[in-house]
Amino acid sequence: MKTLVILAHPNISESGSQQFLLNSVEQFENVTVHHLDRHYPDGKIDRQAEQELLKKHQRIIFQFPFYWYSSPSILKEWQDVVFAGDDFYRPEGTILKGKEFGLVLTIGVSESEYRAGGRESFTVDELTRPYQAVAHHMGMSYLPHFSIHQFVYLSERQQQQLLIDYQFYLTGLQPASLENRTNWIIQALKTTDPKSLPIEKRARLEAIITELSERQDILADLKATLTEF
Amino acid sequence: MKTLVILAHPNISESGSQQFLLNSVEQFENVTVHHLDRHYPDGKIDRQAEQELLKKHQRIIFQFPFYWYSSPSILKEWQDVVFAGDDFYRPEGTILKGKEFGLVLTIGVSESEYRAGGRESFTVDELTRPYQAVAHHMGMSYLPHFSIHQFVYLSERQQQQLLIDYQFYLTGLQPASLENRTNWIIQALKTTDPKSLPIEKRARLEAIITELSERQDILADLKATLTEF
């Protein structure tokens, strides 16, 4: 599976959160990061090229800072230009049918303000209805949004967790069940070259992989047992 | 009260509905129609000029065709540029506090498709949450959206009704109660110059004004009576 990240950010070099996210996936061969502001400094979107890019990927992610409860304008322009023509209106299915669609949002306000009675009054789920409607229209499967609130206040440990979660959001098998997440982590650990680690950590890597795999086996046994009753 | 219509439409000369709406208010002195695509063909918004324009009006309307459940990109760009600076983030109130805010939407799909189970899956109210959140953030009073679905299929009579409703939405006292609407219509009829009408219609104009005024009096009496019980 290949993932396309359509990224919109007018000032990305000054965004700590975006730099952090981009660094965390730049080695991933199955992830294409497509930065609209960099590709189209004049705002003129190449419809044909963008449609070809969409066809080559199975998971489509819109990644952007939440500006006035929506995307920066260039991503809206991208939608209006790229989602044009019969391919996006056929009743029997658009060219995006069956693909997965998700949002990665960086938000400057705390999550607790996004609720009735909170400062922002609506949840992020409510505010992103237009994207859910796009996914519905296209016949795409909508992934729960991935939101990062107030990145600057995250501890180093929270940032490490964020990095794993983000990588999983882009490349892991959905839904984000315990089983899918654990398999994904085992796979990621197995592809780690032990020689890249300090010698004292190599045994620890082996132990973690064994431990996680055993837990997966135990869980699978439990599930099998439960279905017998 | 003065009303500012911030209009976004990339191809307005070919839009029957927009031409119809614009013609219906071009004589109104208290309505300013501000067409972004015409003022800013290069998309570069003048923040200072726009903020001054906002300050001079008490009712702010965003008018646009519903493209992918949101506005054309130039209006989003306008928001990102104009709603910048401390004036729009002060906890004690932004410069828009106390003003009214509404949406005039032209929509190509029938209203009945905007519901759970319908083709578009969500209501227009759900899809316009980001604008409601903007109004909430700014301390503006949000008016129920004014949506025109499938203008081309409206009969002449429906178009006439639409024209009145639109004029009221822009200039009438809110909420759109029977009392406010009737007073607004009486006022509009009273300012009609009888000499502008064919002679056989002048008496009819007088009769309608008298009839509506009497009905208002009767309703006022009824309300007064009801409060006595």
Side-chain angles (χ1 to χ4, degrees):
Chain A
M1 187 201 68
K2 284 174 73 70
T3 297
L4 175 63
V5 178
I6 308 277
L7 171 62
H9 197 300
N11 201 1
I12 201 157
S13 62
E14 293 182 16
S15 165
S17 56
Q18 295 292 342
Q19 293 298 331
F20 178 83
L21 297 176
L22 291 181
N23 288 338
S24 77
V25 293
E26 67 181 354
Q27 306 295 334
F28 284 39
E29 284 176 9
N30 51 352
V31 174
T32 308
V33 175
H34 184 51
H35 185 195
L36 297 184
D37 304 80
R38 191 160 58 85
H39 274 75
Y40 301 110
D42 61 356
K44 304 263 177 256
I45 312 286
D46 180 339
R47 175 183 302 162
Q48 190 68 33
E50 297 297 313
Q51 291 182 350
E52 291 306 316
L53 204 53
L54 287 172
K55 286 178 192 166
K56 288 185 192 132
H57 295 80
Q58 290 75 51
R59 182 173 295 173
I60 316 294
I61 304 291
F62 283 180
Q63 179 172 318
F64 55 87
F66 214 38
Y67 286 175
W68 297 113
Y69 320 108
S70 185
S71 77
S73 63
I74 194 168
L75 181 52
K76 186 59 191 6
E77 181 67 15
W78 183 95
Q79 290 180 66
D80 292 348
V81 170
V82 177
F83 294 161
D86 289 346
D87 283 347
F88 295 90
Y89 290 93
R90 287 179 300 192
E92 72 275 20
T94 70
I95 62 171
L96 296 175
K97 189 175 176 179
K99 295 184 192 285
E100 292 174 315
F101 179 73
L103 300 176
V104 173
L105 308 172
T106 52
I107 303 181
V109 173
S110 123
E111 186 172 7
S112 60
E113 301 290 0
Y114 285 90
R115 53 186 301 205
R119 179 143 57 99
E120 305 295 355
S121 195
F122 298 102
T123 65
V124 175
D125 267 334
E126 287 173 293
L127 294 166
T128 52
R129 290 279 188 257
Y131 301 101
Q132 295 156 37
V134 165
H136 174 81
H137 175 99
M138 300 296 183
M140 291 192 284
S141 164
Y142 188 80
L143 308 177
H145 66 84
F146 185 90
S147 295
I148 302 153
H149 292 264
Q150 300 187 304
F151 175 79
V152 288
Y153 297 141
L154 297 185
S155 67
E156 199 175 328
R157 196 183 176 88
Q158 287 172 319
Q159 287 189 4
Q160 284 171 353
Q161 182 65 52
L162 173 69
L163 184 145
I164 302 289
D165 292 343
Y166 177 67
Q167 290 177 339
F168 178 82
Y169 192 75
L170 262 47
T171 66
L173 189 64
Q174 293 285 342
S177 62
L178 181 62
E179 187 179 354
N180 283 342
R181 291 173 55 88
T182 309
N183 284 336
W184 179 83
I185 287 172
I186 292 170
Q187 203 52 44
L189 293 174
K190 278 185 176 168
T191 56
T192 304
D193 181 5
K195 294 195 195 96
S196 71
L197 295 174
I199 201 150
E200 70 278 13
K201 291 204 173 167
R202 291 179 195 173
R204 179 118 180 83
L205 176 66
E206 274 304 315
I208 292 173
I209 292 174
T210 307
E211 170 79 15
L212 284 173
S213 302
E214 280 173 6
R215 280 200 220 167
Q216 285 292 79
D217 291 343
I218 292 168
L219 278 170
D221 283 352
L222 276 170
K223 275 190 191 165
T225 309
L226 281 168
T227 55
E228 282 172 19
F229 289 95
Chain B
M1 187 200 70
K2 283 173 73 69
T3 297
L4 175 64
V5 178
I6 308 275
L7 171 63
H9 197 300
N11 202 1
I12 201 158
S13 60
E14 294 183 14
S15 166
S17 55
Q18 295 292 341
Q19 292 299 332
F20 178 83
L21 297 176
L22 291 181
N23 288 337
S24 77
V25 294
E26 66 181 354
Q27 305 293 333
F28 284 39
E29 285 177 9
N30 51 352
V31 174
T32 308
V33 175
H34 183 54
H35 185 195
L36 297 184
D37 304 80
R38 191 160 57 86
H39 273 75
Y40 301 110
D42 61 355
K44 304 264 177 255
I45 313 285
D46 181 338
R47 175 182 302 162
Q48 190 69 32
E50 297 298 312
Q51 291 183 350
E52 291 306 317
L53 204 53
L54 287 172
K55 286 178 193 166
K56 288 185 192 131
H57 295 80
Q58 290 74 51
R59 182 173 293 171
I60 315 294
I61 304 291
F62 283 0
Q63 179 171 319
F64 55 86
F66 214 37
Y67 285 175
W68 298 113
Y69 320 108
S70 184
S71 77
S73 63
I74 194 168
L75 180 53
K76 186 60 192 5
E77 181 67 15
W78 182 94
Q79 291 180 65
D80 292 347
V81 170
V82 177
F83 294 162
D86 289 346
D87 282 348
F88 295 90
Y89 289 93
R90 287 181 300 194
E92 72 274 19
T94 70
I95 61 171
L96 296 175
K97 189 175 175 180
K99 295 183 193 285
E100 293 173 315
F101 179 74
L103 300 176
V104 173
L105 309 171
T106 51
I107 304 182
V109 173
S110 126
E111 187 173 6
S112 60
E113 300 291 359
Y114 285 91
R115 54 186 299 204
R119 180 144 55 99
E120 305 296 354
S121 195
F122 299 102
T123 65
V124 175
D125 267 335
E126 288 173 292
L127 294 167
T128 52
R129 291 280 187 257
Y131 300 101
Q132 296 156 38
V134 165
H136 173 81
H137 175 98
M138 300 296 183
M140 291 191 285
S141 165
Y142 188 82
L143 308 177
H145 66 84
F146 185 90
S147 296
I148 303 153
H149 293 264
Q150 300 187 304
F151 175 80
V152 289
Y153 298 140
L154 297 185
S155 67
E156 199 174 330
R157 196 183 176 88
Q158 287 171 319
Q159 287 189 5
Q160 284 170 354
Q161 182 65 51
L162 173 68
L163 184 144
I164 302 289
D165 293 343
Y166 176 67
Q167 290 177 340
F168 179 82
Y169 191 76
L170 262 47
T171 66
L173 188 64
Q174 292 285 340
S177 61
L178 181 61
E179 187 179 355
N180 283 341
R181 290 173 56 88
T182 309
N183 284 337
W184 179 84
I185 288 172
I186 292 171
Q187 203 53 45
L189 293 176
K190 278 184 176 168
T191 56
T192 304
D193 180 6
K195 295 194 195 97
S196 72
L197 295 174
I199 202 150
E200 70 277 14
K201 291 204 171 166
R202 291 179 195 171
R204 179 118 180 82
L205 176 66
E206 274 305 313
I208 291 172
I209 292 173
T210 308
E211 169 80 15
L212 284 173
S213 302
E214 281 173 5
R215 279 201 220 166
Q216 285 293 79
D217 292 342
I218 293 168
L219 278 171
D221 283 351
L222 276 170
K223 275 191 192 166
T225 310
L226 280 168
T227 55
E228 282 172 20
F229 290 94

